[in-house]
Every structure is written in structure tokens, then in C-alpha cells.
Amino acid sequence: MKEEAHIKPTSTLSKIWIIPLLVVLVGGWLIWFQWNNQGPMITIEMKSAAGIDVNKTPIKVRDLNIGQVKKIELKQDLEGVIVHARIDQSAAYLLTDKAQFWVVAPRVSFSEVSGLNTLLSGAYIAMSADDKGNQTHHFVAQERPPVTPPGTPGLHLSLKSDNELAYKPGDPIIYKGFKVGEFEDSSFNIDERIVYYNAFIEAPYHKLITENTRFWNVSGVKLNLESSGVKVETGSLETLMTNGITFGVPEGVSLGEQVSGDAFFSIYEDQIAAVNARFKLSAEYLLLIDETVRGLKVGAPVEYRGIEIGEVRSINAGNVIEGSILQEDFPIPVTISIYPGKVRQDDNEVGLQRVKQTMRKWIADDLRATLRMGNVLTGGLYVDLKHVENHKPIPLKTINGFDVIPTVSNEFTQLTQKADAILDKINQLPLDTLIGDIGTAIGDLSEAATSVKTTANNFDTLVTNIDAEQLNSNLNEVLDDMSSLLQNYTEGGLSKSEIQETMDSLQDTLRSIQPLIMQLNQKPNGLIFATGNEADIQPKAKKSGAKQ
């Protein structure tokens, strides 16, 4: 008996499809996981894309990779580029408006050397880590790395300076030779024509900044010529090669309270200007200078008995007196300030009034102002106030609210005036007559010199006629005779009596030529020039009966 076949339908799904299905599920889960856990995309505006490559340039925080550049495109205004980068999810909480981005590349300057490790690895984008602030995904990169990383303990300061010297980010702030801070950035206010700076003082040096602290420039080298010698001032090696400032509390001023939070200070030209800034009140006076003011500068000291009590405020200001330099007798106006605090008075209205009253009394009596040279090399002048003797009192004069201090010429001008007076007297002398008399005297001297020369020639001729050889021969004969005489005496040839007779004859001969010797002593040229036979004056006997 035949059995019937049972036909069963085959499965439409093969077991082999399980593997691709699992792959799809795993892949989908991985894609979902990757998409769900990937970090956000951010955009960074930059000036240029130098050194940045897509899918190569990393984004780092403290040298740890947290993202990568994915796309670069130009800005619509062509003022820069926009970099699109993917940030890891683990670092997404750092994307706040406090975060900063910049490109790290090799950078060498006087103030810093950084980014040398990128010579081989290539440039990268650095990010400052700061979890405070509002979340954002758009940033503007800085042109250079920040001098002070966020979170660094210390004190941020705002400084201003109207000097011609400018400071760059990274320039040092020095205190007693130690670098305690740096300039972070700068901006120029066109309306005020003042440069504003942001600076940072590191901890624990930020505790030195008080409300009475003053900042001043210590850039380069300063050469001061003083009475004790040459004084050279410089801050440090960094400030010698770049610019820098220092700070301190002026002597005699209390430290004051410590500054906390943002503070604002001014940068002064030097330490003297910083010290003088503590004086708030001053008495203004006017000097009318009839001499040259070359060498006098604004800020030059005003001294009294060698003590600095003020400074020069303006020179030839147009709103002080009327007139112009074109007038022959126009005096140059110079305004000065005298600080009560520098004359041991209180820096308030009471001290100011006391200074003004004293100055009015002194001006009416004998106080005068003069310009003196303070530096021989530079020719710098300063104003010296002194009491002058033998000057009549003068009434106080006021011009446009300024009390006028009378001026006197300085010592150099007085010497010049005396020299001019001496030259005037010399010019009044009868020089023509004197020159003629001097010419006549020179002619007489020339004739006398000619006569002396003639006499000398005659004497030379006489000396030449003397037979020197004959004279030498006669002397040699005398010496030979003397030698023979001595030898004969030694051998016993002459007796003592014979020698005595010879000496007596020699003495007689000398007595006979004595008158000739006397004549030569009285008149040496008697043998050359003929003379008359004047009779010798004989003394006469006193007459009898003469009065005693």
C-alpha cells in the first residue's frame, strides 16, 4: 500500500539571515550610541587658517585632546575664517562664554618663547578650561595666547598711561628685582589719547597692592649726573631689553588698605613723578623771564635753598599774558607750582593758605626767582627762589590770577654782562696810537739788535786773530820748565836758597803786571779800543780851617 507524501511548506526566512540581521542591529546601535554620545559642534572665528588642517588639527585643554577640526570656511565679509570643530561630550560642559580659544604655534619675541613643541607635531587649537558662565557654541579666537590662564590666583589691574612709551602683552611688572606680574592686553582711546592696559599680579605678590600704591616706568637705562658722581638706574635684564614697570608706596605715606577685585592705577614717567602725584594742592605763581629759557622743561624742579618745593607747570602758555614773542621787550611767561606738602605743611586748604600768605610777604620784601643750570651735560635748567640783598621792596603784582614773582639774572648772564663791559672799554682804547708806538719801539729794538750783532762779529774776529797754537806752545814750555825744576829739586840739583830766589823773582814779575790786570778788571775792552790817558784821581788833603 502506497503511503501518501505529506507536503510541508518551506520557511521563507533562512537561518543564514540571522547573522546580517545581528550586524545591522549592532551597527545601528553603535550609530545611535555614537550619535547620542558625540559632542557638540562649535564654530570659532579666526583671522586666518594658517597651520590648521581639516580632520587633523586637534583642540586641546591642558595638552589633552578634546576635539578636532571638521570644516573650515570663509566668512561672508572676507574678514577671516570660520572653523567648525567637534568637541567630545565629556568636555561639553566647558563650552561657556568664559572659554577662550587660540592657535598654538612657534612664537619667539623679547618677552616670550613658546610653542616650540609644535615645530614637529604641527599647530593646534588650545582652549582655556572654565566651567563658569553661560553655555554657547560660537567663539572668537584670540590672536595670541592669554598671558594669564583663567583661574590663576592673583589680582587683575587696569592701568593707563599718556606717555609716548607703550607696553606690549607679556611685558613684565617688577618689584625689587622680582617679576611679579605681566601686561595682558592694551587698547588705545582715540578721544582721550590715552592707552589703557589690563595687567595681572600673581599671588602672593598681589597683597602688596594697596590704595596708595604708585606705578612708574623702569624701561631701559637712566643716566643721572649728580654732585656725588654718575648714577645709572635700570630695572632688570627684561626691562633693559623690553619695557616694564615697577610699583611701591611713596616714602612718608601710609600703606593704606589692600586692594581687592579690579583696581585702576596710572603709570607715571619715573619715580619722582609718582611721588609727586600724592600732592593734591598747590599754589600757582608766574615768572616773567627776560632771558632765554632754553634748557627749561615742563616738570623741572623749583627749589628754595636747595630743597625742591615745586615744579614748572607751563612755559610760554598763550592764556597767561597778552602779547607775542614778536615784541622786542616781550617777557616769556613761566608758571610754577609750590606744594604745601613739600614745605612741611598739611596738604589741605589751611596749609595752602599759609603758603600763599608767606609767599606774598617774601615777594614784597626780597624774594626773587632765577634760572640756574642743574645739569652740565644736558644743559637742563631749574627755578631757584632766593632772597636778594640790596633790593628795594616792590608791591605785589597779579596777572590773570597769578601772583608774579620778580626775576633776576643768573650768574652766567651777569658774567656775560661784565665781559661785554670789559670788551666795550677795550674798544674805546686808542689802539691806533698804541700800535704806532709799538711799531716805533720794535724798530728801535731792531737797530739795537743790529748793533749788538756788529759788536759780536768784531769780537769774533779778534778772537780768531789770536794764535792758539803759539799760546799752547808757550804753555807747554812753561810746564816743561816746571817739570825740570821739580826733577832737579828731587835729585838735589837746586838748593833751597836757589828755589827761594826763583820764587822772589816770580813775585816781582807779578807785582809789575798788577796794574795791567787792574785796568782789565775796570775796562775789559781796554786792549781792543783805544782809550785816553786820563790821570788817576788823587785824594786831596783837607784844607786847614775847614768846617767840621
Side-chain angles (χ1 to χ4, degrees), residues 278-279 281 338-348 355:
R278 64 191 175 105
F279 302 112
L281 300 178
I338 298 179
Y339 298 101
K342 288 192 173 184
V343 293
R344 295 190 176 185
Q345 299 295 323
D346 296 332
D347 193 15
N348 52 30
V355 170

Side-chain angles (χ1 to χ4, degrees), residues 36-99:
N36 187 51
N37 290 280
Q38 72 177 353
M41 287 287 294
I42 63 172
T43 56
I44 306 174
E45 294 185 14
M46 295 183 177
K47 293 293 184 182
S48 69
I52 301 176
D53 296 325
V54 176
N55 294 326
K56 289 185 179 180
T57 302
I59 297 177
K60 297 183 178 183
V61 173
R62 300 185 183 275
D63 290 333
L64 177 64
N65 291 351
I66 63 167
Q68 192 177 59
V69 174
K70 298 299 181 181
K71 182 182 178 182
I72 303 175
E73 61 182 3
L74 283 172
K75 294 178 63 176
Q76 293 183 355
D77 56 4
L78 302 179
E79 293 294 333
V81 298
I82 297 178
V83 176
H84 299 263
R86 178 75 66 181
I87 303 298
D88 296 344
Q89 185 65 32
S90 60
Y93 71 100
L94 299 176
L95 301 176
T96 66
D97 54 5
K98 299 293 185 180

Side-chain angles (χ1 to χ4, degrees), residues 52 80 218 326 339 377 465 488:
I52 301 176
V218 289
L326 299 178
Y339 298 101
L377 294 180
N465 294 331
N488 188 17

Side-chain angles (χ1 to χ4, degrees), residues 251-436:
E251 185 178 356
V253 180
S254 61
L255 295 179
E257 298 181 0
Q258 182 178 341
V259 173
S260 60
D262 294 337
F264 185 83
F265 296 93
S266 297
I267 302 176
Y268 297 95
E269 182 179 1
D270 50 28
Q271 185 177 7
I272 297 177
V275 172
N276 290 339
R278 64 191 175 105
F279 302 112
K280 305 300 181 182
L281 300 178
S282 63
E284 309 293 331
Y285 295 93
L286 176 63
L287 310 179
L288 300 178
I289 307 297
D290 295 327
E291 306 167 1
T292 178
V293 294
R294 181 179 179 86
L296 184 66
K297 305 293 183 182
V298 175
V302 176
E303 295 185 1
Y304 174 72
R305 296 174 61 185
I307 304 298
E308 183 178 343
I309 62 174
E311 64 179 2
V312 175
R313 298 299 297 271
S314 67
I315 300 175
N316 196 26
N319 57 350
V320 177
I321 62 175
E322 297 180 355
S324 67
I325 197 69
L326 299 178
Q327 300 175 3
E328 184 177 356
D329 57 348
F330 177 78
I332 299 176
V334 176
T335 59
I336 63 174
S337 297
I338 298 179
Y339 298 101
K342 288 192 173 184
V343 293
R344 295 190 176 185
Q345 299 295 323
D346 296 332
D347 193 15
N348 52 30
E349 288 296 334
V350 177
L352 181 62
Q353 293 301 323
R354 185 173 299 174
V355 170
K356 290 183 177 180
Q357 291 176 1
T358 304
M359 290 295 295
R360 289 192 183 100
K361 179 179 180 301
W362 285 0
I363 293 173
D365 293 339
D366 55 2
L367 185 68
R368 302 294 183 266
T370 184
L371 299 182
R372 292 183 180 272
M373 183 176 296
N375 193 311
V376 178
L377 294 180
T378 62
L381 301 179
Y382 69 95
V383 178
D384 183 30
L385 301 180
K386 61 180 181 179
H387 298 278
V388 180
E389 299 179 356
N390 302 325
H391 272 261
K392 297 180 180 179
I394 59 175
L396 182 65
K397 184 178 180 181
T398 302
I399 299 177
N400 290 333
F402 293 96
D403 292 342
V404 179
I405 300 179
T407 60
V408 294
S409 301
N410 55 30
E411 287 80 357
F412 181 78
T413 303
Q414 293 176 1
L415 290 175
T416 303
Q417 293 174 353
K418 292 180 180 179
D420 292 339
I422 293 174
L423 291 176
D424 292 338
K425 292 182 178 180
I426 293 175
N427 291 332
Q428 295 176 0
L429 293 176
L431 297 180
D432 296 337
T433 305
L434 291 176
I435 292 174

Side-chain angles (χ1 to χ4, degrees), residues 204-277:
Y205 303 104
H206 69 287
K207 298 179 181 179
L208 299 172
I209 308 300
T210 64
E211 58 185 3
N212 291 329
T213 300
R214 298 289 183 269
F215 291 82
W216 63 88
N217 174 51
V218 289
S219 303
V221 178
K222 295 182 179 179
L223 181 65
N224 297 325
L225 181 63
E226 300 178 352
S227 58
S228 59
V230 179
K231 183 178 179 181
V232 180
E233 297 181 358
T234 182
S236 64
L237 181 60
E238 288 182 278
T239 58
L240 182 64
M241 301 179 64
T242 62
N243 297 329
I245 63 173
T246 187
F247 60 89
V249 178
E251 185 178 356
V253 180
S254 61
L255 295 179
E257 298 181 0
Q258 182 178 341
V259 173
S260 60
D262 294 337
F264 185 83
F265 296 93
S266 297
I267 302 176
Y268 297 95
E269 182 179 1
D270 50 28
Q271 185 177 7
I272 297 177
V275 172
N276 290 339

